[in-house]
Amino acid sequence: MPHRGLAELSEPLAWAEPYRTKMVEAIPMTTREERKRFIAAAGYNPFRLRADQVSIDLLTDSGTAAMSDTQWSALMQGDESYAGSRSFARLQEAVAEVLGFPYVLPTHQGRAAENVLFHTLVQPGQIVPNNMHFDTTKAHVHNRRARPVNLVIPEGRDPQKPHPFKGNMDVDALEALLEKEGANVALVMLTVTCNNNGGQPVSMENIRSVSRVARRHGVPLFLDAARFAENAYFIKQREPGYRDVPLCDIVREMMGYADGCTMSAKKDGLVNIGGFVAFRDEELYRRASQFGILYEGFLTYGGLSGRDMEALAAGLREVLDEHYLAARTGQVRYLWEQLDALGIPLVTPVGGHGVYVDAGRFLPHFRHDDFPGWALSVALYEEAGVRACEIGTVLAGRNPETGEHDYPEQELLRLAIPRRVYSYRHMDVVAEGLRRVWQRREELPAYRFVYEPPVLRHFTATFAPEPIAAPASRSTHPAG
Ligand SMILES: Cc1ncc(COP(=O)(O)O)c(C=O)c1O
């Protein structure tokens, strides 16, 4: 029998993925002993592993999707003209049709879109509120010498609290911030879905209210739209009044409340590289164009080749296929249900692009600076060859003013599931690997930095394991 979510569907055909395999890629098979050697040689940093040392790669859902035959054939249509590329026109049409924004600047990926937008709108000393900044967004706000503020609702800060839209922004807190600091707020952002607290969606009602408040204060609202389609699917599933609304209309309504968006197309663009920043207002687009040209490239290619733009134009339309989104969110839910049945603490409810293990509760004897999510990621790799990503203290980095760790509200391990890549059986392997780590959780070591880079440290840092010390000698910041 299929899992609970699928069993609810009356049409058996809806139990299966709405695509079949045309090409396969061999998965590297390794032994436990080899994996222990590989991760030690990588300085206990999963980002430093070679991909051929990893069997099931859940490090990220970013840029890891399998493209469709439609996208692969669109690649061949790429127009590589420097100026006025036909492929740019097709991308522009797709962005206008799917998202409703008439002006678009292609960029090489999402953080480049942030760079262009923030150079346009953010001045040193200003504030940028977001439901929860993704790490590159936060780093780019800091890069403009401005201050990122997270205003997610209290439920969104507690992994265990059930709420259908834990990505929502606290509208009263936004109102209070704008009352106090109005002129100093550069723009408001909403990340849909909210990556850092579990791929949790933002409701339409919340987007509407945030937009109303931002407009009243004359501050632009931009969506970080990396996972706009998954967010729209959750609105359809969970928000009263949207069950019978077509997904394309839900997306247009979401975007209709915003002045534009940044997009990492490596997620819901279903491509392996790409991004853009899109605008409703021509004047803002013109201002941003200067930075697009300076940092990315001419207006009609930005950081992308013509063929990249073709694949992205196709991906933006494909991602709104309801059968695809049912299969996509269904697979994530399948893994979530297996782990939940084992009693493993998870971010609840399940989010859109992965399962988030509550590492703080998995390892309640760890403190934040023992790096519980990191310890879990190393253990899961050693156990089952599965690579996952810490979303906790290591990723959060240091406060640039105090130099202290910027302790996050949650210590998580993210099992991000690439789109259209792995099967249900692969999910079984992940669940079994984590079950075995759960059984020996009291033996896991903490990790300490050997090399700590100053910016986006998680990518290149190296670590050493260290047995957990006696509670009294540990930091005063419990992670659980
Ligand atoms: C919500 C969100 N915004 C922005 C980004 C940055 O995008 P990119 O990795 O394409 O630079 C990411 C990447 O994971 C993300 O999840």
Side-chain angles (χ1 to χ4, degrees):
M1 272 305 281
H3 67 96
R4 288 205 305 270
L6 291 181
E8 286 162 13
L9 301 171
S10 57
E11 173 67 74
L13 197 50
W15 295 357
E17 293 82 352
Y19 46 83
R20 58 186 172 185
T21 309
K22 191 174 280 210
M23 188 190 279
V24 294
E25 180 181 351
I27 281 184
M29 301 303 247
T30 55
T31 64
R32 200 165 198 290
E33 288 320 305
E34 286 171 332
R35 291 192 295 272
K36 287 186 93 126
R37 268 195 287 115
F38 295 153
I39 193 74
Y44 294 96
N45 184 342
F47 281 97
R48 295 168 65 105
L49 286 169
R50 289 200 334 240
D52 62 7
Q53 296 169 336
V54 176
S55 296
I56 300 178
D57 204 345
L58 307 189
L59 187 66
T60 176
D61 64 320
S62 180
T64 51
M67 292 208 299
S68 68
D69 49 358
T70 309
Q71 288 176 293
W72 279 108
S73 48
L75 285 182
M76 296 305 294
Q77 308 274 325
D79 172 1
E80 307 303 343
S81 304
Y82 189 96
S85 159
R86 198 172 56 230
S87 305
F88 171 74
R90 281 207 263 265
L91 174 61
Q92 196 175 28
E93 267 168 39
V95 170
E97 177 192 310
V98 176
L99 305 178
F101 297 121
Y103 302 103
V104 61
L105 291 170
T107 61
H108 74 275
Q109 59 183 89
R111 68 200 69 184
E114 291 160 3
N115 189 37
V116 170
L117 180 66
F118 294 171
H119 270 86
T120 313
L121 287 180
V122 182
Q123 300 308 319
Q126 287 194 308
I127 298 171
V128 180
N130 200 321
N131 46 354
M132 256 189 175
H133 286 82
F134 180 67
D135 61 331
T136 62
T137 324
K138 181 166 106 175
H140 273 293
V141 174
H142 281 147
N143 192 41
R144 297 292 298 141
R145 284 182 281 131
R147 184 156 63 89
V149 177
N150 287 345
L151 294 182
V152 75
I153 54 170
E155 291 88 338
R157 299 174 194 270
D158 181 344
Q160 309 296 315
K161 273 256 164 72
H163 187 290
F165 291 101
K166 287 171 82 166
N168 282 357
M169 184 177 270
D170 183 334
V171 181
D172 291 340
L174 176 67
E175 181 84 65
L177 179 76
L178 286 166
E179 284 292 333
K180 191 161 160 243
E181 303 266 9
N184 206 26
V185 175
L187 75 159
V188 178
M189 289 198 82
L190 272 177
T191 305
V192 296
T193 59
C194 186
N195 187 356
N196 281 31
N197 74 347
Q200 298 291 325
V202 181
S203 72
M204 191 72 87
E205 199 273 322
N206 191 252
I207 301 174
R208 196 181 301 126
S209 305
V210 167
S211 164
R212 203 176 293 134
V213 172
R215 266 199 195 144
R216 188 156 7 94
H217 290 268
V219 177
L221 169 66
F222 275 72
L223 300 189
D224 176 340
R227 300 178 180 85
F228 72 94
E230 289 164 10
N231 199 89
Y233 190 74
F234 281 122
I235 288 176
K236 193 172 169 79
Q237 298 294 303
R238 297 182 183 173
E239 188 158 351
Y242 285 93
R243 189 155 284 269
D244 298 321
V245 180
L247 275 167
C248 55
D249 293 348
I250 294 179
V251 170
R252 289 294 290 266
E253 185 181 344
M254 284 166 57
M255 299 296 157
Y257 296 120
D259 297 287
C261 72
T262 55
M263 176 76 188
S264 169
K266 300 166 72 174
K267 286 82 170 175
D268 276 352
L270 295 177
V271 287
N272 304 117
I273 193 71
F276 56 81
V277 51
F279 303 90
R280 191 175 305 291
D281 176 59
E282 188 177 0
E283 169 54 22
L284 205 50
Y285 160 74
R286 274 195 210 291
R287 280 169 51 201
S289 297
Q290 303 166 39
F291 298 107
I293 293 172
L294 181 64
Y295 291 119
E296 291 295 296
F298 185 63
L299 301 176
T300 57
Y301 71 87
L304 297 175
S305 64
R307 56 184 174 272
D308 292 329
M309 293 189 282
E310 292 285 351
L312 172 53
L316 284 175
R317 294 192 171 99
E318 244 169 53
V319 77
L320 286 181
D321 174 1
E322 208 161 308
H323 299 296
Y324 156 72
L325 283 167
R328 160 84 179 142
T329 53
Q331 188 183 47
V332 176
R333 185 167 163 184
Y334 173 75
L335 178 59
W336 187 95
E337 284 175 355
Q338 289 210 52
L339 297 175
D340 187 50
L342 293 167
I344 292 175
L346 303 172
V347 172
T348 302
V350 63
H353 62 284
V355 176
Y356 289 57
V357 178
D358 184 347
R361 284 194 170 77
F362 196 112
L363 298 170
H365 53 301
F366 275 51
R367 301 294 188 255
H368 282 291
D369 46 12
D370 294 325
F371 306 150
W374 204 270
L376 269 189
S377 74
V378 174
L380 180 61
Y381 172 72
E382 288 176 343
E383 192 66 58
V386 175
R387 177 157 68 170
C389 183
E390 185 245 27
I391 306 241
T393 294
V394 177
L395 180 106
R398 288 184 186 269
N399 181 314
E401 277 151 32
T402 64
E404 296 295 315
H405 290 304
D406 203 357
Y407 292 123
E409 283 146 46
Q410 306 173 9
E411 294 285 352
L412 304 173
L413 177 74
R414 183 184 73 173
L415 305 161
I417 303 185
R419 295 167 179 78
R420 306 191 289 208
V421 170
Y422 291 115
S423 70
Y424 279 82
R425 186 62 95 203
H426 292 118
M427 298 302 112
D428 293 342
V429 171
V430 177
E432 175 59 14
L434 215 50
R435 186 188 70 78
R436 293 182 189 194
V437 175
W438 176 240
Q439 279 182 330
R440 59 179 182 87
R441 58 191 179 277
E442 271 153 32
E443 298 156 25
L444 301 195
Y447 284 85
R448 306 280 173 239
F449 279 111
V450 172
Y451 163 62
E452 182 186 353
V455 182
L456 296 175
R457 60 187 182 178
H458 56 291
F459 287 130
T460 51
T462 57
F463 299 84
E466 186 178 290
I468 283 284
S473 66
R474 280 188 250 146
S475 139
T476 52
H477 300 280

